[in-house]
Amino acid sequence: GESVGLHLPTLSVQEGDNSIINCAYSNSASDYFIWYKQESGKGPQFIIDIRSNMDKRQGQRVTVLLNKTVKHLSLQIAATQPGDSAVYFCAETFGGATNKLIFGTGTLLAVQP
Amino acid sequence: KAGVTQTPRYLIKTRGQQVTLSCSPISGHRSVSWYQQTPGQGLQFLFEYFSETQRNKGNFPGRFSGRQFSNSRSEMNVSTLELGDSALYLCASRTDNYGYTFGSGTRLTVV
């Protein structure tokens, strides 16, 4: 499959460990944030989202934390599996009908069996 | 429910040619956005269409254009192709709330 990015920050974890992927966002006016997972040769796949009036949201094996004070977002993956290996992007947007997604540079998560 | 469908999946064009890419959104989604993904620049917003009208545009030259049809299907066109236009072009559709769903993209190679 195609590479989705070169020279990406890489996080290497052992299978079964917890993973934490961090993201610094750019716009203090952003009010909605999304984490996407992109596997080789595929488009970004929605993982979890959070609005700016929250600081934590949990999904199945994933948790997103939002710190608006320092404009920081993190994605926690519990019990990481080999199928979690992919590039992870955070994206931000702000309100209005013409909102667009602004993506971070991405982090490559490599899960070692 | 079918996802976002992009055609073709792969395309090879020569410098100076033009290309048209197609995107069929999820049924009921009226908004379609296009993004360009390259190793150097990452994912960058091209434009968004809603009810056949362009609502927002990114910082790309006028060689990049798009349109949306009454059935919400969208096409994007790139004229006078340059080597630097080689990229994965992604389409995303959504309802008028927030939930963007992406297609698998069209891999364009300009030679």
Side-chain angles (χ1 to χ4, degrees), chain B residues 8-56:
Chain B
R9 285 297 312 275
Y10 301 93
L11 207 49
I12 300 175
K13 289 287 188 178
T14 304
R15 240 179 341 175
Q17 286 186 313
Q18 73 160 12
V19 67
T20 299
L21 312 181
S22 179
C23 172
S24 293
I26 290 173
S27 178
H29 287 196
R30 294 191 296 167
S31 167
V32 174
S33 300
W34 289 89
Y35 290 79
Q36 181 196 64
Q37 185 174 29
T38 60
Q41 299 299 316
L43 280 145
Q44 291 189 295
F45 173 75
L46 280 156
F47 27 64
E48 184 200 9
Y49 287 87
F50 181 84
S51 292
E52 302 178 64
T53 301
Q54 187 181 89
R55 276 204 304 199
N56 201 353

mmCIF file of all heavy atoms in Angstrom, chain B residues 8-56:
data_model
loop_
_atom_site.group_PDB
_atom_site.id
_atom_site.type_symbol
_atom_site.label_atom_id
_atom_site.label_comp_id
_atom_site.label_asym_id
_atom_site.label_seq_id
_atom_site.Cartn_x
_atom_site.Cartn_y
_atom_site.Cartn_z
ATOM 1 N N PRO B 8 -11.559 7.465 -10.224
ATOM 2 C CA PRO B 8 -10.990 6.121 -10.109
ATOM 3 C C PRO B 8 -10.122 6.002 -8.858
ATOM 4 O O PRO B 8 -9.894 6.999 -8.165
ATOM 5 C CB PRO B 8 -10.142 6.025 -11.378
ATOM 6 C CG PRO B 8 -9.686 7.426 -11.614
ATOM 7 C CD PRO B 8 -10.824 8.310 -11.181
ATOM 8 N N ARG B 9 -9.641 4.851 -8.528
ATOM 9 C CA ARG B 9 -8.745 4.689 -7.382
ATOM 10 C C ARG B 9 -7.331 5.133 -7.714
ATOM 11 O O ARG B 9 -6.634 5.671 -6.852
ATOM 12 C CB ARG B 9 -8.698 3.226 -6.925
ATOM 13 C CG ARG B 9 -9.929 2.746 -6.175
ATOM 14 C CD ARG B 9 -10.132 3.504 -4.859
ATOM 15 N NE ARG B 9 -8.944 3.630 -4.025
ATOM 16 C CZ ARG B 9 -8.525 2.723 -3.160
ATOM 17 N NH1 ARG B 9 -9.162 1.592 -3.021
ATOM 18 N NH2 ARG B 9 -7.448 2.948 -2.426
ATOM 19 N N TYR B 10 -6.902 4.878 -8.922
ATOM 20 C CA TYR B 10 -5.555 5.239 -9.352
ATOM 21 C C TYR B 10 -5.617 5.896 -10.726
ATOM 22 O O TYR B 10 -6.453 5.536 -11.560
ATOM 23 C CB TYR B 10 -4.644 3.998 -9.431
ATOM 24 C CG TYR B 10 -4.510 3.267 -8.122
ATOM 25 C CD1 TYR B 10 -5.352 2.203 -7.818
ATOM 26 C CD2 TYR B 10 -3.550 3.644 -7.185
ATOM 27 C CE1 TYR B 10 -5.240 1.527 -6.610
ATOM 28 C CE2 TYR B 10 -3.438 2.971 -5.973
ATOM 29 C CZ TYR B 10 -4.282 1.926 -5.702
ATOM 30 O OH TYR B 10 -4.168 1.259 -4.507
ATOM 31 N N LEU B 11 -4.709 6.824 -10.933
ATOM 32 C CA LEU B 11 -4.691 7.570 -12.179
ATOM 33 C C LEU B 11 -3.266 8.030 -12.451
ATOM 34 O O LEU B 11 -2.593 8.538 -11.548
ATOM 35 C CB LEU B 11 -5.604 8.786 -12.018
ATOM 36 C CG LEU B 11 -6.289 9.431 -13.211
ATOM 37 C CD1 LEU B 11 -6.982 8.426 -14.074
ATOM 38 C CD2 LEU B 11 -7.299 10.450 -12.682
ATOM 39 N N ILE B 12 -2.822 7.863 -13.689
ATOM 40 C CA ILE B 12 -1.520 8.383 -14.104
ATOM 41 C C ILE B 12 -1.750 9.339 -15.254
ATOM 42 O O ILE B 12 -2.394 8.981 -16.248
ATOM 43 C CB ILE B 12 -0.558 7.255 -14.516
ATOM 44 C CG1 ILE B 12 -0.336 6.300 -13.349
ATOM 45 C CG2 ILE B 12 0.770 7.831 -14.997
ATOM 46 C CD1 ILE B 12 0.516 5.085 -13.712
ATOM 47 N N LYS B 13 -1.262 10.544 -15.084
ATOM 48 C CA LYS B 13 -1.429 11.577 -16.106
ATOM 49 C C LYS B 13 -0.072 12.195 -16.424
ATOM 50 O O LYS B 13 0.867 12.133 -15.627
ATOM 51 C CB LYS B 13 -2.388 12.660 -15.620
ATOM 52 C CG LYS B 13 -3.839 12.219 -15.544
ATOM 53 C CD LYS B 13 -4.438 12.097 -16.920
ATOM 54 C CE LYS B 13 -5.921 11.859 -16.879
ATOM 55 N NZ LYS B 13 -6.524 11.793 -18.232
ATOM 56 N N THR B 14 -0.019 12.851 -17.574
ATOM 57 C CA THR B 14 1.198 13.529 -18.003
ATOM 58 C C THR B 14 1.089 15.009 -17.667
ATOM 59 O O THR B 14 -0.009 15.578 -17.699
ATOM 60 C CB THR B 14 1.393 13.329 -19.519
ATOM 61 O OG1 THR B 14 1.414 11.938 -19.801
ATOM 62 C CG2 THR B 14 2.678 13.975 -20.002
ATOM 63 N N ARG B 15 2.212 15.606 -17.376
ATOM 64 C CA ARG B 15 2.268 17.043 -17.114
ATOM 65 C C ARG B 15 1.548 17.808 -18.213
ATOM 66 O O ARG B 15 1.729 17.527 -19.408
ATOM 67 C CB ARG B 15 3.723 17.501 -17.076
ATOM 68 C CG ARG B 15 4.152 18.102 -15.795
ATOM 69 C CD ARG B 15 5.585 18.526 -15.788
ATOM 70 N NE ARG B 15 6.432 17.928 -16.793
ATOM 71 C CZ ARG B 15 7.692 18.268 -16.977
ATOM 72 N NH1 ARG B 15 8.233 19.178 -16.223
ATOM 73 N NH2 ARG B 15 8.411 17.706 -17.909
ATOM 74 N N GLY B 16 0.760 18.783 -17.836
ATOM 75 C CA GLY B 16 0.045 19.599 -18.806
ATOM 76 C C GLY B 16 -1.366 19.114 -19.105
ATOM 77 O O GLY B 16 -2.195 19.888 -19.605
ATOM 78 N N GLN B 17 -1.626 17.850 -18.803
ATOM 79 C CA GLN B 17 -2.975 17.336 -19.027
ATOM 80 C C GLN B 17 -3.918 17.832 -17.936
ATOM 81 O O GLN B 17 -3.515 18.491 -16.982
ATOM 82 C CB GLN B 17 -2.954 15.803 -19.030
ATOM 83 C CG GLN B 17 -2.355 15.178 -20.274
ATOM 84 C CD GLN B 17 -2.509 13.669 -20.277
ATOM 85 O OE1 GLN B 17 -2.226 12.998 -19.269
ATOM 86 N NE2 GLN B 17 -2.971 13.109 -21.390
ATOM 87 N N GLN B 18 -5.175 17.485 -18.096
ATOM 88 C CA GLN B 18 -6.147 17.788 -17.055
ATOM 89 C C GLN B 18 -6.771 16.476 -16.572
ATOM 90 O O GLN B 18 -6.692 15.446 -17.250
ATOM 91 C CB GLN B 18 -7.238 18.730 -17.550
ATOM 92 C CG GLN B 18 -8.248 18.100 -18.495
ATOM 93 C CD GLN B 18 -9.533 18.916 -18.559
ATOM 94 O OE1 GLN B 18 -9.605 20.052 -18.089
ATOM 95 N NE2 GLN B 18 -10.559 18.357 -19.155
ATOM 96 N N VAL B 19 -7.382 16.536 -15.402
ATOM 97 C CA VAL B 19 -7.946 15.318 -14.819
ATOM 98 C C VAL B 19 -9.233 15.664 -14.080
ATOM 99 O O VAL B 19 -9.374 16.767 -13.536
ATOM 100 C CB VAL B 19 -6.939 14.653 -13.861
ATOM 101 C CG1 VAL B 19 -6.682 15.516 -12.625
ATOM 102 C CG2 VAL B 19 -7.392 13.270 -13.462
ATOM 103 N N THR B 20 -10.160 14.734 -14.096
ATOM 104 C CA THR B 20 -11.411 14.888 -13.352
ATOM 105 C C THR B 20 -11.581 13.692 -12.430
ATOM 106 O O THR B 20 -11.481 12.541 -12.872
ATOM 107 C CB THR B 20 -12.618 14.978 -14.295
ATOM 108 O OG1 THR B 20 -12.469 16.125 -15.135
ATOM 109 C CG2 THR B 20 -13.911 15.105 -13.498
ATOM 110 N N LEU B 21 -11.815 13.985 -11.152
ATOM 111 C CA LEU B 21 -12.025 12.952 -10.146
ATOM 112 C C LEU B 21 -13.466 13.024 -9.674
ATOM 113 O O LEU B 21 -14.052 14.100 -9.605
ATOM 114 C CB LEU B 21 -11.085 13.159 -8.953
ATOM 115 C CG LEU B 21 -9.617 13.417 -9.274
ATOM 116 C CD1 LEU B 21 -8.823 13.584 -7.974
ATOM 117 C CD2 LEU B 21 -9.039 12.312 -10.113
ATOM 118 N N SER B 22 -14.006 11.861 -9.307
ATOM 119 C CA SER B 22 -15.417 11.806 -8.933
ATOM 120 C C SER B 22 -15.607 11.309 -7.511
ATOM 121 O O SER B 22 -14.831 10.491 -7.019
ATOM 122 C CB SER B 22 -16.151 10.883 -9.904
ATOM 123 O OG SER B 22 -17.521 10.777 -9.569
ATOM 124 N N CYS B 23 -16.653 11.816 -6.871
ATOM 125 C CA CYS B 23 -16.967 11.431 -5.503
ATOM 126 C C CYS B 23 -18.482 11.287 -5.355
ATOM 127 O O CYS B 23 -19.231 12.223 -5.655
ATOM 128 C CB CYS B 23 -16.451 12.490 -4.529
ATOM 129 S SG CYS B 23 -16.973 12.242 -2.812
ATOM 130 N N SER B 24 -18.905 10.131 -4.881
ATOM 131 C CA SER B 24 -20.314 9.922 -4.549
ATOM 132 C C SER B 24 -20.441 9.864 -3.036
ATOM 133 O O SER B 24 -19.882 8.967 -2.400
ATOM 134 C CB SER B 24 -20.832 8.631 -5.177
ATOM 135 O OG SER B 24 -20.867 8.729 -6.574
ATOM 136 N N PRO B 25 -21.165 10.824 -2.437
ATOM 137 C CA PRO B 25 -21.252 10.861 -0.978
ATOM 138 C C PRO B 25 -22.197 9.798 -0.429
ATOM 139 O O PRO B 25 -22.901 9.139 -1.183
ATOM 140 C CB PRO B 25 -21.802 12.265 -0.706
ATOM 141 C CG PRO B 25 -22.635 12.564 -1.914
ATOM 142 C CD PRO B 25 -21.915 11.913 -3.064
ATOM 143 N N ILE B 26 -22.195 9.687 0.867
ATOM 144 C CA ILE B 26 -23.154 8.819 1.533
ATOM 145 C C ILE B 26 -24.557 9.361 1.268
ATOM 146 O O ILE B 26 -24.773 10.588 1.276
ATOM 147 C CB ILE B 26 -22.867 8.777 3.046
ATOM 148 C CG1 ILE B 26 -21.562 8.015 3.299
ATOM 149 C CG2 ILE B 26 -24.014 8.139 3.822
ATOM 150 C CD1 ILE B 26 -21.099 8.047 4.737
ATOM 151 N N SER B 27 -25.484 8.469 1.032
ATOM 152 C CA SER B 27 -26.846 8.883 0.739
ATOM 153 C C SER B 27 -27.380 9.781 1.854
ATOM 154 O O SER B 27 -27.294 9.451 3.040
ATOM 155 C CB SER B 27 -27.735 7.642 0.602
ATOM 156 O OG SER B 27 -29.072 8.016 0.369
ATOM 157 N N GLY B 28 -27.914 10.927 1.461
ATOM 158 C CA GLY B 28 -28.455 11.864 2.445
ATOM 159 C C GLY B 28 -27.482 12.940 2.864
ATOM 160 O O GLY B 28 -27.869 13.933 3.482
ATOM 161 N N HIS B 29 -26.202 12.752 2.564
ATOM 162 C CA HIS B 29 -25.207 13.771 2.889
ATOM 163 C C HIS B 29 -25.180 14.811 1.781
ATOM 164 O O HIS B 29 -24.974 14.486 0.624
ATOM 165 C CB HIS B 29 -23.821 13.143 3.036
ATOM 166 C CG HIS B 29 -23.650 12.359 4.282
ATOM 167 N ND1 HIS B 29 -22.400 11.983 4.758
ATOM 168 C CD2 HIS B 29 -24.549 11.896 5.186
ATOM 169 C CE1 HIS B 29 -22.549 11.305 5.884
ATOM 170 N NE2 HIS B 29 -23.846 11.243 6.162
ATOM 171 N N ARG B 30 -25.361 16.069 2.157
ATOM 172 C CA ARG B 30 -25.409 17.117 1.147
ATOM 173 C C ARG B 30 -24.098 17.892 1.017
ATOM 174 O O ARG B 30 -23.915 18.650 0.080
ATOM 175 C CB ARG B 30 -26.552 18.082 1.456
ATOM 176 C CG ARG B 30 -27.938 17.427 1.344
ATOM 177 C CD ARG B 30 -29.039 18.473 1.389
ATOM 178 N NE ARG B 30 -29.097 19.179 2.652
ATOM 179 C CZ ARG B 30 -29.805 20.287 2.848
ATOM 180 N NH1 ARG B 30 -30.477 20.817 1.842
ATOM 181 N NH2 ARG B 30 -29.833 20.856 4.026
ATOM 182 N N SER B 31 -23.213 17.716 1.981
ATOM 183 C CA SER B 31 -21.938 18.419 1.946
ATOM 184 C C SER B 31 -20.838 17.479 1.471
ATOM 185 O O SER B 31 -20.713 16.352 1.963
ATOM 186 C CB SER B 31 -21.595 18.948 3.340
ATOM 187 O OG SER B 31 -20.249 19.360 3.403
ATOM 188 N N VAL B 32 -20.036 17.960 0.549
ATOM 189 C CA VAL B 32 -18.887 17.201 0.063
ATOM 190 C C VAL B 32 -17.660 18.097 0.113
ATOM 191 O O VAL B 32 -17.688 19.227 -0.390
ATOM 192 C CB VAL B 32 -19.106 16.706 -1.384
ATOM 193 C CG1 VAL B 32 -17.836 16.058 -1.915
ATOM 194 C CG2 VAL B 32 -20.268 15.718 -1.439
ATOM 195 N N SER B 33 -16.607 17.597 0.737
ATOM 196 C CA SER B 33 -15.351 18.336 0.811
ATOM 197 C C SER B 33 -14.257 17.540 0.128
ATOM 198 O O SER B 33 -14.299 16.310 0.093
ATOM 199 C CB SER B 33 -14.933 18.563 2.269
ATOM 200 O OG SER B 33 -15.911 19.310 2.965
ATOM 201 N N TRP B 34 -13.263 18.266 -0.373
ATOM 202 C CA TRP B 34 -12.111 17.622 -1.008
ATOM 203 C C TRP B 34 -10.841 18.030 -0.273
ATOM 204 O O TRP B 34 -10.678 19.198 0.115
ATOM 205 C CB TRP B 34 -12.010 18.050 -2.470
ATOM 206 C CG TRP B 34 -13.074 17.491 -3.351
ATOM 207 C CD1 TRP B 34 -14.303 18.027 -3.615
ATOM 208 C CD2 TRP B 34 -13.007 16.284 -4.118
ATOM 209 N NE1 TRP B 34 -15.004 17.230 -4.485
ATOM 210 C CE2 TRP B 34 -14.222 16.156 -4.813
ATOM 211 C CE3 TRP B 34 -12.031 15.298 -4.291
ATOM 212 C CZ2 TRP B 34 -14.497 15.081 -5.669
ATOM 213 C CZ3 TRP B 34 -12.293 14.224 -5.136
ATOM 214 C CH2 TRP B 34 -13.511 14.123 -5.818
ATOM 215 N N TYR B 35 -9.950 17.062 -0.117
ATOM 216 C CA TYR B 35 -8.666 17.293 0.529
ATOM 217 C C TYR B 35 -7.562 16.675 -0.327
ATOM 218 O O TYR B 35 -7.755 15.655 -0.985
ATOM 219 C CB TYR B 35 -8.624 16.661 1.927
ATOM 220 C CG TYR B 35 -9.497 17.362 2.934
ATOM 221 C CD1 TYR B 35 -10.877 17.140 2.963
ATOM 222 C CD2 TYR B 35 -8.962 18.265 3.841
ATOM 223 C CE1 TYR B 35 -11.688 17.801 3.873
ATOM 224 C CE2 TYR B 35 -9.763 18.923 4.752
ATOM 225 C CZ TYR B 35 -11.126 18.682 4.758
ATOM 226 O OH TYR B 35 -11.919 19.340 5.661
ATOM 227 N N GLN B 36 -6.400 17.321 -0.274
ATOM 228 C CA GLN B 36 -5.218 16.779 -0.928
ATOM 229 C C GLN B 36 -4.260 16.279 0.140
ATOM 230 O O GLN B 36 -4.029 16.973 1.143
ATOM 231 C CB GLN B 36 -4.524 17.882 -1.748
ATOM 232 C CG GLN B 36 -3.287 17.398 -2.498
ATOM 233 C CD GLN B 36 -2.409 18.554 -2.966
ATOM 234 O OE1 GLN B 36 -1.867 19.287 -2.146
ATOM 235 N NE2 GLN B 36 -2.264 18.698 -4.272
ATOM 236 N N GLN B 37 -3.732 15.097 -0.043
ATOM 237 C CA GLN B 37 -2.771 14.561 0.922
ATOM 238 C C GLN B 37 -1.457 14.241 0.227
ATOM 239 O O GLN B 37 -1.409 13.462 -0.734
ATOM 240 C CB GLN B 37 -3.316 13.294 1.591
ATOM 241 C CG GLN B 37 -2.399 12.767 2.691
ATOM 242 C CD GLN B 37 -2.992 11.612 3.458
ATOM 243 O OE1 GLN B 37 -3.790 10.836 2.935
ATOM 244 N NE2 GLN B 37 -2.638 11.499 4.725
ATOM 245 N N THR B 38 -0.393 14.858 0.706
ATOM 246 C CA THR B 38 0.956 14.605 0.211
ATOM 247 C C THR B 38 1.877 14.358 1.393
ATOM 248 O O THR B 38 1.605 14.817 2.510
ATOM 249 C CB THR B 38 1.497 15.795 -0.600
ATOM 250 O OG1 THR B 38 1.524 16.958 0.252
ATOM 251 C CG2 THR B 38 0.647 16.083 -1.819
ATOM 252 N N PRO B 39 2.981 13.642 1.172
ATOM 253 C CA PRO B 39 3.921 13.407 2.276
ATOM 254 C C PRO B 39 4.488 14.696 2.846
ATOM 255 O O PRO B 39 4.712 14.813 4.039
ATOM 256 C CB PRO B 39 5.012 12.560 1.625
ATOM 257 C CG PRO B 39 4.353 11.895 0.481
ATOM 258 C CD PRO B 39 3.355 12.900 -0.033
ATOM 259 N N GLY B 40 4.691 15.697 2.003
ATOM 260 C CA GLY B 40 5.306 16.917 2.465
ATOM 261 C C GLY B 40 4.359 17.882 3.154
ATOM 262 O O GLY B 40 4.721 18.515 4.142
ATOM 263 N N GLN B 41 3.153 17.988 2.664
ATOM 264 C CA GLN B 41 2.196 18.975 3.180
ATOM 265 C C GLN B 41 1.084 18.369 4.028
ATOM 266 O O GLN B 41 0.304 19.110 4.628
ATOM 267 C CB GLN B 41 1.563 19.742 2.014
ATOM 268 C CG GLN B 41 2.552 20.513 1.163
ATOM 269 C CD GLN B 41 3.284 21.570 1.963
ATOM 270 O OE1 GLN B 41 2.671 22.290 2.749
ATOM 271 N NE2 GLN B 41 4.587 21.672 1.773
ATOM 272 N N GLY B 42 0.994 17.064 4.067
ATOM 273 C CA GLY B 42 -0.067 16.439 4.845
ATOM 274 C C GLY B 42 -1.420 16.598 4.178
ATOM 275 O O GLY B 42 -1.519 16.667 2.957
ATOM 276 N N LEU B 43 -2.454 16.673 4.995
ATOM 277 C CA LEU B 43 -3.826 16.801 4.498
ATOM 278 C C LEU B 43 -4.206 18.265 4.434
ATOM 279 O O LEU B 43 -4.209 18.964 5.454
ATOM 280 C CB LEU B 43 -4.794 16.071 5.438
ATOM 281 C CG LEU B 43 -4.862 14.568 5.268
ATOM 282 C CD1 LEU B 43 -5.089 13.889 6.605
ATOM 283 C CD2 LEU B 43 -5.987 14.228 4.306
ATOM 284 N N GLN B 44 -4.558 18.718 3.251
ATOM 285 C CA GLN B 44 -4.915 20.128 3.079
ATOM 286 C C GLN B 44 -6.272 20.251 2.409
ATOM 287 O O GLN B 44 -6.566 19.550 1.438
ATOM 288 C CB GLN B 44 -3.857 20.832 2.234
ATOM 289 C CG GLN B 44 -2.514 20.968 2.949
ATOM 290 C CD GLN B 44 -1.576 21.858 2.171
ATOM 291 O OE1 GLN B 44 -1.168 21.533 1.066
ATOM 292 N NE2 GLN B 44 -1.244 23.003 2.736
ATOM 293 N N PHE B 45 -7.054 21.175 2.908
ATOM 294 C CA PHE B 45 -8.412 21.412 2.432
ATOM 295 C C PHE B 45 -8.389 22.089 1.068
ATOM 296 O O PHE B 45 -7.690 23.093 0.869
ATOM 297 C CB PHE B 45 -9.139 22.293 3.451
ATOM 298 C CG PHE B 45 -10.494 22.761 3.027
ATOM 299 C CD1 PHE B 45 -11.577 21.906 3.033
ATOM 300 C CD2 PHE B 45 -10.680 24.075 2.637
ATOM 301 C CE1 PHE B 45 -12.836 22.353 2.670
ATOM 302 C CE2 PHE B 45 -11.928 24.534 2.267
ATOM 303 C CZ PHE B 45 -13.013 23.675 2.274
ATOM 304 N N LEU B 46 -9.175 21.545 0.153
ATOM 305 C CA LEU B 46 -9.298 22.136 -1.179
ATOM 306 C C LEU B 46 -10.548 22.994 -1.283
ATOM 307 O O LEU B 46 -10.480 24.182 -1.542
ATOM 308 C CB LEU B 46 -9.343 21.039 -2.239
ATOM 309 C CG LEU B 46 -7.999 20.443 -2.630
ATOM 310 C CD1 LEU B 46 -8.175 19.040 -3.202
ATOM 311 C CD2 LEU B 46 -7.291 21.331 -3.642
ATOM 312 N N PHE B 47 -11.712 22.374 -1.135
ATOM 313 C CA PHE B 47 -12.978 23.112 -1.161
ATOM 314 C C PHE B 47 -14.107 22.243 -0.637
ATOM 315 O O PHE B 47 -13.969 21.031 -0.494
ATOM 316 C CB PHE B 47 -13.350 23.636 -2.562
ATOM 317 C CG PHE B 47 -12.800 22.861 -3.724
ATOM 318 C CD1 PHE B 47 -13.177 21.548 -3.959
ATOM 319 C CD2 PHE B 47 -11.883 23.451 -4.588
ATOM 320 C CE1 PHE B 47 -12.670 20.848 -5.031
ATOM 321 C CE2 PHE B 47 -11.373 22.767 -5.668
ATOM 322 C CZ PHE B 47 -11.759 21.466 -5.899
ATOM 323 N N GLU B 48 -15.221 22.921 -0.353
ATOM 324 C CA GLU B 48 -16.422 22.243 0.117
ATOM 325 C C GLU B 48 -17.610 22.712 -0.703
ATOM 326 O O GLU B 48 -17.735 23.906 -1.017
ATOM 327 C CB GLU B 48 -16.705 22.525 1.593
ATOM 328 C CG GLU B 48 -17.923 21.733 2.098
ATOM 329 C CD GLU B 48 -18.548 22.292 3.355
ATOM 330 O OE1 GLU B 48 -18.178 23.400 3.780
ATOM 331 O OE2 GLU B 48 -19.419 21.596 3.920
ATOM 332 N N TYR B 49 -18.470 21.761 -1.029
ATOM 333 C CA TYR B 49 -19.702 22.059 -1.730
ATOM 334 C C TYR B 49 -20.896 21.610 -0.901
ATOM 335 O O TYR B 49 -20.864 20.586 -0.224
ATOM 336 C CB TYR B 49 -19.736 21.359 -3.091
ATOM 337 C CG TYR B 49 -18.809 22.004 -4.081
ATOM 338 C CD1 TYR B 49 -17.471 21.631 -4.147
ATOM 339 C CD2 TYR B 49 -19.247 23.033 -4.904
ATOM 340 C CE1 TYR B 49 -16.605 22.245 -5.018
ATOM 341 C CE2 TYR B 49 -18.378 23.656 -5.787
ATOM 342 C CZ TYR B 49 -17.063 23.259 -5.836
ATOM 343 O OH TYR B 49 -16.199 23.871 -6.694
ATOM 344 N N PHE B 50 -21.940 22.421 -0.974
ATOM 345 C CA PHE B 50 -23.196 22.114 -0.284
ATOM 346 C C PHE B 50 -24.325 22.575 -1.186
ATOM 347 O O PHE B 50 -24.358 23.739 -1.601
ATOM 348 C CB PHE B 50 -23.254 22.819 1.068
ATOM 349 C CG PHE B 50 -24.502 22.536 1.840
ATOM 350 C CD1 PHE B 50 -24.608 21.401 2.614
ATOM 351 C CD2 PHE B 50 -25.578 23.415 1.799
ATOM 352 C CE1 PHE B 50 -25.760 21.134 3.335
ATOM 353 C CE2 PHE B 50 -26.730 23.156 2.508
ATOM 354 C CZ PHE B 50 -26.830 22.019 3.273
ATOM 355 N N SER B 51 -25.224 21.685 -1.487
ATOM 356 C CA SER B 51 -26.360 21.997 -2.373
ATOM 357 C C SER B 51 -25.900 22.714 -3.636
ATOM 358 O O SER B 51 -26.415 23.784 -3.993
ATOM 359 C CB SER B 51 -27.389 22.857 -1.622
ATOM 360 O OG SER B 51 -27.998 22.089 -0.611
ATOM 361 N N GLU B 52 -24.895 22.149 -4.261
ATOM 362 C CA GLU B 52 -24.394 22.587 -5.566
ATOM 363 C C GLU B 52 -23.647 23.925 -5.520
ATOM 364 O O GLU B 52 -23.283 24.465 -6.569
ATOM 365 C CB GLU B 52 -25.531 22.670 -6.595
ATOM 366 C CG GLU B 52 -26.269 21.349 -6.784
ATOM 367 C CD GLU B 52 -27.415 21.455 -7.775
ATOM 368 O OE1 GLU B 52 -27.146 21.725 -8.952
ATOM 369 O OE2 GLU B 52 -28.584 21.271 -7.356
ATOM 370 N N THR B 53 -23.398 24.444 -4.347
ATOM 371 C CA THR B 53 -22.707 25.731 -4.196
ATOM 372 C C THR B 53 -21.400 25.532 -3.444
ATOM 373 O O THR B 53 -21.353 24.809 -2.449
ATOM 374 C CB THR B 53 -23.589 26.728 -3.426
ATOM 375 O OG1 THR B 53 -24.803 26.913 -4.142
ATOM 376 C CG2 THR B 53 -22.879 28.065 -3.274
ATOM 377 N N GLN B 54 -20.358 26.193 -3.901
ATOM 378 C CA GLN B 54 -19.089 26.135 -3.174
ATOM 379 C C GLN B 54 -19.195 27.025 -1.947
ATOM 380 O O GLN B 54 -19.391 28.244 -2.045
ATOM 381 C CB GLN B 54 -17.941 26.603 -4.074
ATOM 382 C CG GLN B 54 -16.565 26.415 -3.427
ATOM 383 C CD GLN B 54 -15.432 26.896 -4.319
ATOM 384 O OE1 GLN B 54 -15.040 28.059 -4.290
ATOM 385 N NE2 GLN B 54 -14.903 25.999 -5.130
ATOM 386 N N ARG B 55 -19.002 26.425 -0.772
ATOM 387 C CA ARG B 55 -19.170 27.185 0.472
ATOM 388 C C ARG B 55 -17.845 27.650 1.042
ATOM 389 O O ARG B 55 -17.803 28.600 1.816
ATOM 390 C CB ARG B 55 -19.837 26.317 1.539
ATOM 391 C CG ARG B 55 -21.301 26.262 1.467
ATOM 392 C CD ARG B 55 -21.950 25.909 2.791
ATOM 393 N NE ARG B 55 -21.522 24.683 3.421
ATOM 394 C CZ ARG B 55 -22.242 24.082 4.360
ATOM 395 N NH1 ARG B 55 -23.390 24.595 4.749
ATOM 396 N NH2 ARG B 55 -21.819 22.976 4.912
ATOM 397 N N ASN B 56 -16.781 26.971 0.683
ATOM 398 C CA ASN B 56 -15.499 27.312 1.280
ATOM 399 C C ASN B 56 -14.404 26.837 0.340
ATOM 400 O O ASN B 56 -14.582 25.847 -0.386
ATOM 401 C CB ASN B 56 -15.347 26.629 2.649
ATOM 402 C CG ASN B 56 -14.335 27.298 3.540
ATOM 403 O OD1 ASN B 56 -13.625 28.211 3.114
ATOM 404 N ND2 ASN B 56 -14.237 26.850 4.779
#
